[in-house]
Amino acid sequence: MNESWTSLVSLLGILALCQSRIQEVIPTELRLAFHNFLKRALRCFSSSCHFDIADTDGVNTNELYNAVQLYLSSFVSGSGSASRLSLTRARNSSATTFGLSNNDCIADVFDGVAVQWEHEVTQRQSQTPSWRTLPYEKRSFKLQIRKRNKDLILNSYLDYIMSKANDIRRNNQERLIYTNPRNDSPGRPWESVPFKHPSTFDTLAMDPEKKRDIMEDLRDFAAGQAFYQRTGRAWKRGYLLYGPPGTGKSSMIAAMANFLGYDIYDLELTEVPSNSELRKLLMKTSSKSIIVIEDIDCSVNLSNRLRAPKAPAPRSYSDPGAPDAESGGKEGNNNTITLSGLLNFTDGLWSCCGSERIFVFTTNHIDKLDPALLRSGRMDMHIYMSYCSYPALEILLRNYLGCEAKDIGEAAARELREVVEKAKMTPADISEVLIKNRRNKEKAVSELLEVLKARAERNEKYGGLREECELNEVEEEEEEKRALESPKEGSDSEDDSCKKVEDDEEKKAK
């Protein structure tokens, strides 16, 4: 054994001596050229090729590096090939992001082709003075693929990574809800606050089959960029939510935003003075957003032209009481938005100055809206938000009581199924009964049955008279809303509006 170790040490000494002699005899430039030649020769016989994606291109940040980092984080947590992972969490985010640690590797498969990623971190050499100080560590991703697959997947694979990274970034970032301020606030077309609405399609009290259709339509829209480009259509879609008050129209909008990860622009038409300002607001909206106009029949007068009486002069669609567009518009706000301006907003040339936008209008009276506003291309999908059905009631029981319909007893479930359709109560009314008794399931179910039965008996007794009375009450509330939103100071119209509100209150009191 001792002789073997002695021979090995002697051999190493001879090799070290030979290396030193070679370095003395052969110039450094020649040795480097030979080393590079040897690497190129070995590369010719190799079946793989390598690509480096550095964190910077010398001055600017490499967006492809950031995209690869986000993309690998989407599946690296569940991969068994990575031995070490780094964990990060963005500000105001509840999602934990996984990433490759320094000098670790992971495998991926794209279109049936295997690729290998390695995260390489090395120390930078001494930095030369410059206007921009670089990090002390140089980070890069190394992509290894087979040569025969280079042209097949390289470009499409990198495009796929960029697309996935954008989706991940949008889901992790804080979503916002915007509103347009008063028209006397120049330079601020939109103001925003964080959007924290918890409504989802799982909690939405609605027929499950109808929800699946809406979710499928939203998925097709979000993934339809190639389709819209191929057919020459603007990448946008319109939804009209209509039905009685309290049926969940606002909750539906929040569920759509949470489902797609889009921001919301809540447009208040009464604060927009003209069609040109409306176009400017549209230009300031971002892609991947939902533009909402709630209670459109209350905001401005967009009533059905076929049912409206003909006037000799051109009529403004800003206010029911305004004789024409030149008289000042919606009371004191000088609001001169016309139906034509709103149609161009949703389906004109200016509506194409962005991509992946959804327009959502809500109304309690679809029959009051002009047919031009309802046609396909402007409002592509009409969604009726109906009274609470039994499938929707099951969702409410699960949301507020934490139980399924089968848990409340077969007899109670059967009674609920029979009476809920006759009662014609909105999900908001039923939710109020459940939420105040949420700590006592038996009491909540029994009280809900009493309320539903009482409402069903009243409907059967009065028939269509009750529905007509409720409709009149809704219309009175909407008229009061119009009058109180934009009062005209220093004019007779203010006195008339106030007098009308007082008369309505007296009627209700009687």
Side-chain angles (χ1 to χ4, degrees):
M1 180 65 70
N2 292 334
E3 293 178 358
S4 300
W5 280 109
T6 303
S7 301
L8 179 60
V9 171
S10 300
L11 180 60
L12 292 177
I14 294 172
L15 292 175
L17 180 62
C18 293
Q19 182 181 6
S20 63
R21 295 301 181 186
I22 291 173
Q23 291 178 354
E24 293 175 359
V25 174
I26 303 176
T28 303
E29 293 78 5
L30 185 59
R31 283 188 281 111
L32 289 176
F34 177 76
H35 181 263
N36 292 335
F37 173 77
L38 184 61
K39 286 177 62 178
R40 285 195 296 268
L42 293 176
R43 195 178 300 150
C44 292
F45 294 100
S46 174
S47 61
S48 301
C49 54
H50 301 77
F51 301 91
D52 290 341
I53 303 175
D55 56 347
T56 63
D57 59 3
V59 177
N60 300 316
T61 301
N62 188 355
E63 291 298 330
L64 183 57
Y65 175 89
N66 296 332
V68 171
Q69 192 173 37
L70 281 175
Y71 169 72
L72 294 180
S73 70
S74 64
F75 66 88
V76 71
S77 59
S79 174
S81 59
S83 57
R84 296 180 59 189
L85 300 176
S86 61
L87 306 179
T88 57
R89 178 174 291 185
R91 183 179 180 182
N92 296 329
S93 175
S94 59
T96 301
T97 302
F98 298 84
L100 282 179
S101 296
N102 299 349
N103 305 317
D104 204 351
C105 301
I106 191 172
D108 188 19
V109 178
F110 178 74
D111 283 350
V113 178
V115 301
Q116 176 109 2
W117 286 100
E118 180 182 359
H119 191 209
E120 187 177 81
V121 181
T122 57
Q123 296 294 325
R124 293 185 185 274
Q125 301 296 329
S126 58
Q127 298 186 20
T128 58
S130 64
W131 64 273
R132 183 177 185 270
T133 303
L134 298 175
Y136 289 104
E137 291 182 337
K138 179 181 179 182
R139 298 173 178 269
S140 64
F141 284 103
K142 293 186 178 295
L143 172 62
Q144 176 181 342
I145 60 178
R146 293 188 178 276
K147 290 182 178 179
R148 65 172 181 266
N149 300 324
K150 174 183 174 182
D151 297 332
L152 178 65
I153 74 162
L154 184 59
N155 292 331
S156 56
Y157 184 43
L158 295 180
D159 291 341
Y160 172 76
I161 288 175
M162 293 293 291
S163 176
K164 292 291 292 184
N166 289 333
D167 293 339
I168 296 170
R169 190 180 292 111
R170 185 176 70 250
N171 292 333
N172 290 342
Q173 73 183 7
E174 185 178 45
R175 286 189 293 277
L176 301 175
I177 180 169
Y178 296 82
T179 184
N180 55 307
R182 295 183 60 87
N183 53 47
D184 57 358
S185 303
R188 293 187 302 164
W190 296 101
E191 294 179 349
S192 65
V193 295
F195 179 68
K196 301 290 186 181
H197 201 293
S199 177
T200 65
F201 278 106
D202 291 333
T203 61
L204 193 64
M206 190 177 184
D207 183 76
E209 185 175 350
K210 185 183 292 187
K211 282 198 295 187
R212 283 193 295 268
D213 292 341
I214 298 172
M215 293 168 66
E216 187 64 28
D217 189 76
L218 292 172
R219 288 193 193 97
D220 290 342
F221 170 78
Q225 181 178 12
F227 167 78
Y228 282 91
Q229 289 180 349
R230 186 177 69 253
T231 56
R233 293 172 59 95
W235 193 7
K236 64 181 182 61
R237 193 156 179 82
Y239 293 85
L240 177 69
L241 310 182
Y242 67 99
T247 50
K249 292 184 284 292
S250 298
S251 297
M252 168 65 77
I253 296 171
M256 294 169 68
N258 289 327
F259 181 73
L260 295 174
Y262 287 5
D263 292 335
I264 294 180
Y265 288 86
D266 187 13
L267 179 61
E268 180 57 56
L269 287 181
T270 57
E271 301 296 342
V272 184
S274 63
N275 294 335
S276 60
E277 292 296 326
L278 187 63
R279 288 194 296 269
K280 291 179 182 179
L281 285 173
L282 178 64
M283 293 171 60
K284 296 297 183 180
T285 60
S286 62
S287 299
K288 298 182 183 296
S289 60
I290 300 177
I291 302 173
V292 179
I293 302 180
E294 291 194 274
D295 297 325
I296 188 172
D297 53 317
C298 297
S299 300
V300 294
N301 184 15
L302 302 173
S303 57
N304 192 331
R305 291 170 296 174
L306 301 179
R307 300 177 58 184
K310 294 184 179 180
R315 179 167 181 169
S316 168
Y317 290 88
S318 59
D319 182 76
D324 55 81
E326 298 178 355
S327 63
K330 176 147 180 129
E331 298 186 348
N333 283 349
N334 296 325
N335 186 303
T336 56
I337 295 177
T338 63
L339 176 62
S340 175
L342 189 61
L343 296 181
N344 290 330
F345 175 81
T346 58
D347 194 31
L349 292 177
W350 288 98
S351 67
C352 308
C353 61
S355 61
E356 204 169 348
R357 284 199 187 101
I358 291 178
F359 293 87
V360 179
F361 291 174
T362 70
T363 179
N364 296 330
H365 309 286
I366 188 175
D367 56 322
K368 291 186 177 182
L369 299 182
D370 195 279
L373 192 64
L374 304 179
R375 72 167 179 82
S376 298
R378 292 178 180 130
M379 295 295 108
D380 303 287
M381 193 172 187
H382 296 187
I383 302 173
Y384 176 60
M385 308 296 292
S386 62
Y387 292 108
C388 189
S389 61
Y390 185 72
L393 179 59
E394 291 182 308
I395 297 174
L396 293 177
L397 292 175
R398 184 167 61 249
N399 291 345
Y400 293 101
L401 304 183
C403 65
E404 302 292 338
K406 60 182 180 181
D407 300 330
I408 63 176
E410 184 177 350
R414 184 173 59 254
E415 285 186 276
L416 287 175
R417 183 187 296 273
E418 293 175 354
V419 74
V420 68
E421 301 291 346
K422 301 176 182 178
K424 292 185 179 180
M425 289 183 63
T426 65
D429 293 335
I430 294 179
S431 299
E432 188 60 31
V433 178
L434 295 177
I435 197 171
K436 69 178 182 179
N437 299 303
R438 61 187 182 276
R439 296 182 180 85
N440 191 330
K441 298 179 183 179
E442 291 76 13
K443 182 180 178 181
V445 173
S446 62
E447 184 172 335
L448 178 61
L449 271 172
E450 293 177 2
V451 173
L452 290 173
K453 289 179 180 178
R455 184 66 63 88
E457 291 176 359
R458 194 190 315 171
N459 292 342
E460 186 177 357
K461 181 177 180 181
Y462 294 102
L465 182 61
R466 175 184 166 273
E467 294 182 3
E468 184 178 352
C469 292
E470 289 184 349
L471 182 61
N472 291 335
E473 290 179 1
V474 171
E475 290 180 347
E476 289 178 1
E477 291 177 1
E478 292 173 352
E479 289 177 0
E480 291 178 8
K481 181 180 178 181
R482 290 195 190 98
L484 296 175
E485 274 184 347
S486 303
K488 185 175 181 181
E489 299 179 359
S491 65
D492 296 336
S493 60
E494 180 183 11
D495 298 334
D496 294 340
S497 299
C498 294
K499 184 177 179 180
K500 183 176 182 180
V501 172
E502 291 175 357
D503 292 342
D504 291 339
E505 290 179 352
E506 290 178 2
K507 291 179 181 179
K508 290 182 179 180
K510 294 179 181 180

